[in-house]
Each structure stands twice: as C-alpha cells, then as structure tokens.
Amino acid sequence: MNADPTIDSSSGTLLHPSTHMLIAAEIMCFAIGLPTVTGTALLAIFFLTALGIPSRTEFRLTWKFIKILGLGALFLFLIHAVRWNPPGFSREGMLIGVESFTRIASPVIGVIYLSRRVRSEELFAMLIDCRVPPSVILILFRTLWLVPRLTERMDEVVTAQKLRGMRVETTMQRIHALIPTLNPIFSSMLTEISMNSLILSSRGFISPGRKTHLTALRYRPVDIAVITGLTFFLGVLWC
Amino acid sequence: MKKRVSVRDRFETCLYYKHLDIASSIHHHFLLPLPGPSTWAAMDHRKNNHMNKTSAFHGTLKREKATVRQINAFDAGLIALCAALNVSIGYLVNLLKLPIYLDSIGTVFVAALCGWQYGAIVGLSALLVLSITAIPTALAYGGTAIVIALLAAGLARFGFLKNLRATIIGGLIIGLGAAAASAPITTLVYGGVSLAGSDAITALFRAMGYSLWKSVIFGKLLIEPLDKLVTSLICFSLVQSLPSRMLERLSKK
C-alpha cells in the first residue's frame, strides 16, 4: 500500500496562508494610508472580524496583544492628549494620538489575525513552497523552538539560586544575580546547539536540494476572488 | 544528446556531498586535524569523475552549494540561540524586576565575536520573532539592531569585550548609537510610544513641557546607555566564562 503521507490542511479554512498574509498586509497598509477616522474604523472592523472567526490555531496571543494595545493607548493619551500646564485635554493632541494609535494597532491586529488563522506547520510548508533557503527557515523555527526552552531553564536556574539564598532586594543585587544565572544557561545551550547542528548536517538539512513537507497547500479560485474583491473594495474606499 | 542520470549516480553524489558536510562539521565541532592532501585528492578525483558523468545535475548542485554553504548548521544554530536569548531575556528581566530591557545581548555578543553581519542577522531574527510572539511593532526597529551590530563589531577592534574599560566605554557608545537610531522611529512612526519602559519617562518629560522630539530623545538617552552598559558587561562576563576552544571557534568566523 502506498498511501500519500501529506496532510491536507484545507480542513477548517478556505484560504491559502499567503492569502491570509495578503489580506492582513492590505488592510494594514490601507488603515495607515486612509484618513484617520476611516482608517481607524476599517481597523476596528478588521479586528472584530478577526475575533469573530473561530481560531484554527493553538496560539493564545489575543489577550496579550490587547493588553499591549491598551498600554500603547494609555501612553499615547498621556503624551499627546493630556495638557499638564494648565491642566486639561488637547483636541489636536487627541487626533494625533488616534493617528499614532492606528499605526501601532495595524501590525498588532494583523498579527492577531494571522495567529488565529495560520498554523505553524502551514507557515513552514508555505516557506518551503516559496523556496526560502533552508538556513533561514532553520533560524526562524529554531528561534521559536528555543525561546520557551530558554525561558524554562532561566526559571529553573533562578529558582535554584533563590533557594540557595541569592539576594534580590536592591537593583544592583538583582543585576549581580543576573550574570551567574545567564552564564551556565548560555554555555549549556551552546553545547546543545553544537551537537544539534551536527545531527542536522548529517541529515543534510542545509545541503542543497528542494526540501519536503507533510502539509499540502493549494491555491483555489476563492483565494483569487477574495484578494480581488478586497482590493476592489479598499480601492473604492480610497477614492 | 542529454545524458540520463541514473538513480545510483544521484545517490552517490548525494552521499559525496553528505560526507563533505559531515566531515566539515566534525572538523568544526571537534577541531580534528584536516584531512591530508591525499584524501582531498581522492575526493576531488571522485568529484571530477561524477562531474564528467552527470554534468547538468552536478552543475546545479555546485551552484546551489555555493549559496547554501555561506551559513552552515552551526552558524544557523548560533544565530537562533542568540536571537532566542534576545527574546527570552525579557522573561528573566521581569522575573528579577529589573528596570532595563537587555534585549540585545545576543546581538552584541555575536557581532563582537563573529562580525557585524552575524550580529545584524541575530538582531533582525530576534525582532521578527519578537514581533510574532510579543510586540508586533518591534520589527520597525530593525535599523537600530543593525546599528548596534555595526558599533559592536567596530568597537571589538579596540578591545570591546576583551578588557573591562573598553567594554564600559563601548557599552556607553552603543547606547548612544541605539538611542540615536531608535528615537526617530519612535517619534515619527509611533508618536513617541515604543511599548517599552522608556514610555513613562517620555510621558514625564512631556508633562514637564518639553516637545515630543526632546521628550523621546531624553527618555532614550536616560535608558539606552544604561541598558547597553549592562548588556556589554553581561556579554563581557559571557566571553570570560566560555571555554577557550569555543571562543576561538566563534572568533574565526
């Protein structure tokens, strides 16, 4: 029996990952390029739509990014809208603040949308299909893989240091505590990376030739229809 | 007439290149002596033999190899590790409740040891990952990462990360460079907000009556030199703690 090992990722989505990226990029560009009120309204609609469509991924970044947006809005309000001497609010400052908020919110909402629609294996497959060099894919995905591992190790080492009686009362003591925490983590990870790279070299990951992946991605007529329709709609809005 | 490439030829060619990769990796990783001239001659003879047999196929391989060879698996791993360090250090900073970011340790370390190109790749990769996972506005600061890499690599010629005095001075210079590179982005693109610790200081200067540009620049000048000084001291300590064999290997890049 010679079954096809590739997994069709189309279940639960109609669109190709690159179409999702194009949608996010188009809306981000138009939100920044359109007049402030229209751009902000477009972005708000996109944000609500992104939240309204059920998430296909295991990423839980939405709440974190909403908090970032809240923090950005607060500081923009304090920097632009509040007048301290004499105390009061500035209408012009408020408008500048809203314009700056649109610029900050555009990438944040774009990433929220993509994190809810594109799975990591689809991103990997798309990069392979786009002939991105394997070394670039390796750097990107290994960084994503290493971040939680490093965080976990840092947690372990800091807990161990605290149990040993590490003093962290003042800022200087905390900075002093940082150095003996980082050194063993970095050295051990460097050794691990060294061995891992040997394994990857022996498996020929960096060697020439087209790489394969297990997720089948297909362009459908609906991809072209969505992109054309969206571009037309945004063009009309622009005019 | 086009020659047909047999499966055996393809397999042997792949095996040959795979052997080369493994041999170079073993040499790189364990610093074994290089193969003698006879070994290389034998390999070359075998390569020429294959080239004559299947020139089209080999030509493609050779052309691809020239581009892919530029970064090997260890380099890619090192870049990923340093980028991950840049990203995940935020967790440690939060854990120890420090008032600085320390988000360019990997960039400074790699740029000083391996060259500015490596530092720039580390900085840009870290910003890309950071913008996917934590702060989506971070990618706009790619220019700052390149400036930090350039300064760290340039200062390494004057003893940066080799002696303490040069490291302290270098850290302050990198901080000033980073402040100069990031202030225009924060002011012009994001209206004075960088979604980092210096926003509170910017708001404070703004409340004192300074213009937006001055508030952002003063805020950056207060935070960045201190941040990059601590970053440089941590990198100095990392360099001191690394085994000399690993350090030598990194410095050869």
Side-chain angles (χ1 to χ4, degrees), chain B residues 209-221:
Chain B
Y210 289 97
S211 68
L212 183 64
W213 269 99
K214 279 184 183 171
S215 305
V216 171
I217 289 171
F218 289 159
K220 295 274 179 204
L221 285 177

Side-chain angles (χ1 to χ4, degrees), chain A residues 15 22 32 40-41 53 64 73 82 103 113 117 122 152 160 183 187 224 226 236:
Chain A
L15 304 174
L22 263 170
I32 293 170
T40 312
I53 303 169
K64 187 180 173 181
V82 179
R103 287 203 204 113
Y113 172 74
R117 301 307 303 158
E122 289 171 356
E152 197 181 316
N183 287 352
S187 298
I224 299 161
V226 166
V236 168

Side-chain angles (χ1 to χ4, degrees), chain B residues 158-181:
Chain B
F158 302 101
F160 181 65
L161 300 191
K162 287 187 189 113
N163 64 67
L164 191 60
R165 199 175 157 190
T167 304
I168 291 171
I169 297 168
L172 292 172
I173 293 171
I174 293 173
L176 292 175

Side-chain angles (χ1 to χ4, degrees), chain B residues 137-161:
Chain B
T137 54
L139 205 57
Y141 294 94
T144 311
I146 293 171
V147 167
I148 292 170
L150 280 168
L151 284 173
L155 288 164
R157 295 179 185 181
F158 302 101
F160 181 65
L161 300 191

